[in-house]
């Protein structure tokens, strides 16, 4: 198969930042119809009014159809969340355990303090997106620990709450999602294309560093099987997370992979390797909208296999450079229409 036409995909987990960085990277996601936008700015997007203002900055920067989220804090007003969702300002709420990842200091420490918000969301049909990691213990075990210690009790207390477990990285997470109603999961480019050996072999490779961190190859295999299975619970979420190159290549490097410009080429590469190109449309274009109760996009995109993609090493923005994720091999799928 050298040509594939599918419904235009959506990105159900995207970081666009703000200011100069937003203006530099927003056009790179134009291949996607819609995108769930992460709210972990500094300061974070915590109210409906702030989400509306951020949405306007995003559309002005060149991404036409952002789906906004609110950053859940222990002081979040349930009424504001419900009103913002009812009025079409936000699509979901994002839960960060405090200290788990980039700009998560304002996140949740005491889950009992957000129970009223979660109950209101459950009643009003507001989806919850979760960064599923603990903040203690071995960094490679934190997702699995979160499933047992936090997500299982939360699921039991709020069985009707629609949940997206973001950027799953382990076989345990895949099985948890499969075993519970009202839970879907996004899977990133980097977790499908790489594992911890890729990141650590012959030296630390900072542009593979993200959170949740890359795991061993057996977990990577489980993710590839889930993504290409056609199961409706799994869908595309790049977690594309731009950082200035100097922050990625620092002594204590920033967590995140910038994949937006070539994400579809990367996903197509994986699906071709797995003999599942006929299931790419479900993963990229159909499962996510179904999970969020939205129609799929009417327009289509065409992917054509050809010569190796000629990608820039980085995008320059006002004196700063953002380096693209490099899987370490050529990509041959082009978005041609």
């Amino acid at each position: 198969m050298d040509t594939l036409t599918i419904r235009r995909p959506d990105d159900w987990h995207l970081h666009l930042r703000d200011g100069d960085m937003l203006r530099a990277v927003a056009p790179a996601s134009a291949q996607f119809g819609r995108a769930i936008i992460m709210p972990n700015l500094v300061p974070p997007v915590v109210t409906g009014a702030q989400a509306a203002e951020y949405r306007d900055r995003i559309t002005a920067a060149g991404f036409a159809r952002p789906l906004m989220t609110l950053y859940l804090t222990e002081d979040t007003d349930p009424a504001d969340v419900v009103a913002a969702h009812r009025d079409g300002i936000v699509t979901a709420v994002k839960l960060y355990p405090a200290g788990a990842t980039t700009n998560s200091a304002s996140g949740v420490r005491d889950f009992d303090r957000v129970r009223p918000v979660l109950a209101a969301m459950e009643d009003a049909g507001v989806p919850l997106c979760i960064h599923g990691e603990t903040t203690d213990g071995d960094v490679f075990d934190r997702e699995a620990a979160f499933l047992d210690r936090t997500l299982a009790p939360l699921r039991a207390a709020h069985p009707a709450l629609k949940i997206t477990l973001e950027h799953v990285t382990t076989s345990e997470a895949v099985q948890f999602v499969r075993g519970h109603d009202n839970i879907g999961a996004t899977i990133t480019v980097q977790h499908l294309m790489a594992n911890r050996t890729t990141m650590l072999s012959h030296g630390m490779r900072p542009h593979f560093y993200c959170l949740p961190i890359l795991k061993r190859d057996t977990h990577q295999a489980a993710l590839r099987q889930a993504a290409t299975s056609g199961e409706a619970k799994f869908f595309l979420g790049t977690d594309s997370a731009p950082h200035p190159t100097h922050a990625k290549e620092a002594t204590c490097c920033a967590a995140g992979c910038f994949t937006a410009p070539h994400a579809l080429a990367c996903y197509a590469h994986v699906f071709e390797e797995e003999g599942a190109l006929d299931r790419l449309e479900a993963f990229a274009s159909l499962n996510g909208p179904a999970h969020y109760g939205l129609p799929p996009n009417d327009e289509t995109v065409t992917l054509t296999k050809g010569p190796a993609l000629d990608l820039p090493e980085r995008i320059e923005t006002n004196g700063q450079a953002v380096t693209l994720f490099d899987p370490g091999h050529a990509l041959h799928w082009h978005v041609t229409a």
Side-chain angles (χ1 to χ4, degrees):
M1 185 182 296
D2 294 325
T3 301
L4 179 67
T5 297
I6 62 175
R7 297 278 192 116
R8 183 173 296 280
D10 300 301
D11 187 347
W12 299 99
H13 186 146
L14 179 64
H15 295 269
L16 290 177
R17 313 304 188 200
D18 211 348
D20 291 338
M21 183 67 80
L22 166 62
R23 288 185 285 274
V25 304
S29 291
Q31 61 199 287
F32 297 104
R34 298 163 290 198
I36 288 276
I37 307 301
M38 294 297 103
N40 58 332
L41 306 182
V42 181
V45 178
V46 297
T47 69
Q50 291 170 351
E53 292 168 358
Y54 186 30
R55 179 189 60 195
D56 292 345
R57 298 197 297 274
I58 291 169
T59 56
F63 187 76
R65 297 168 67 190
L67 303 176
M68 307 308 296
T69 61
L70 295 180
Y71 188 119
L72 182 63
T73 76
E74 294 174 10
D75 298 317
T76 294
D77 178 3
D80 182 64
V81 170
V82 171
H85 183 263
R86 180 198 63 218
D87 295 343
I89 298 170
V90 304
T91 298
V93 171
K94 181 63 183 278
L95 189 162
Y96 293 99
T101 190
T102 303
N103 299 341
S104 61
S106 300
V108 178
R109 287 180 168 82
D110 182 352
F111 280 80
D112 287 337
R113 294 190 60 180
V114 297
R115 295 294 184 190
V117 183
L118 299 180
M121 291 170 57
E122 186 176 23
D123 290 342
V126 184
L128 177 68
C129 302
I130 298 178
H131 181 110
E133 288 191 287
T134 61
T135 56
D136 59 352
D138 190 300
V139 69
F140 292 102
D141 297 332
R142 290 178 180 179
E143 182 177 87
F146 183 89
L147 301 177
D148 292 336
R149 287 162 44 182
T150 304
L151 188 53
L154 187 153
R155 170 78 290 164
H158 302 282
L161 181 64
K162 183 172 287 187
I163 292 173
T164 305
L165 186 57
E166 303 280 18
H167 43 47
V168 292
T169 67
T170 60
S171 57
E172 290 91 343
V174 168
Q175 291 308 312
F176 190 98
V177 170
R178 283 175 169 151
H180 291 81
D181 294 335
N182 292 331
I183 297 185
T186 57
I187 306 179
T188 75
V189 166
Q190 62 268 22
H191 290 105
L192 291 173
M193 301 193 85
N195 56 59
R196 67 186 189 182
T197 299
T198 319
M199 180 178 64
L200 297 171
S201 183
H202 307 295
M204 171 65 185
R205 303 182 184 202
H207 294 287
F208 284 98
Y209 176 62
C210 59
L211 289 172
I213 200 165
L214 298 175
K215 306 300 194 298
R216 63 171 67 245
D217 58 353
T218 53
H219 294 297
Q220 180 190 8
L223 297 176
R224 289 171 73 104
Q225 190 281 325
T228 61
S229 68
E231 294 174 68
K233 282 179 168 286
F234 303 103
F235 40 93
L236 186 156
T238 64
D239 192 22
S240 181
H243 293 281
T245 296
H246 69 81
K248 286 294 298 176
E249 298 177 356
T251 301
C252 184
C253 69
C257 302
F258 180 48
T259 59
H262 54 319
L264 282 184
C266 290
Y267 283 116
H269 183 97
V270 170
F271 274 68
E272 182 181 35
E273 286 186 327
E274 297 294 322
L277 277 171
D278 59 323
R279 297 174 183 163
L280 179 61
E281 183 177 51
F283 176 79
S285 311
L286 304 178
N287 296 348
H291 177 75
Y292 281 97
L294 298 170
N297 294 307
D298 291 328
E299 64 269 28
T300 62
V301 299
T302 297
L303 293 151
T304 303
K305 190 175 182 182
L309 273 181
D310 183 17
L311 292 165
E313 180 181 353
R314 58 180 60 91
I315 291 176
E316 302 287 342
T317 168
N318 289 345
Q320 291 185 338
V322 183
T323 298
L324 274 66
F325 171 80
D326 180 0
H329 52 71
L331 298 169
H332 292 276
W333 287 95
H334 303 248
V335 179
T336 55

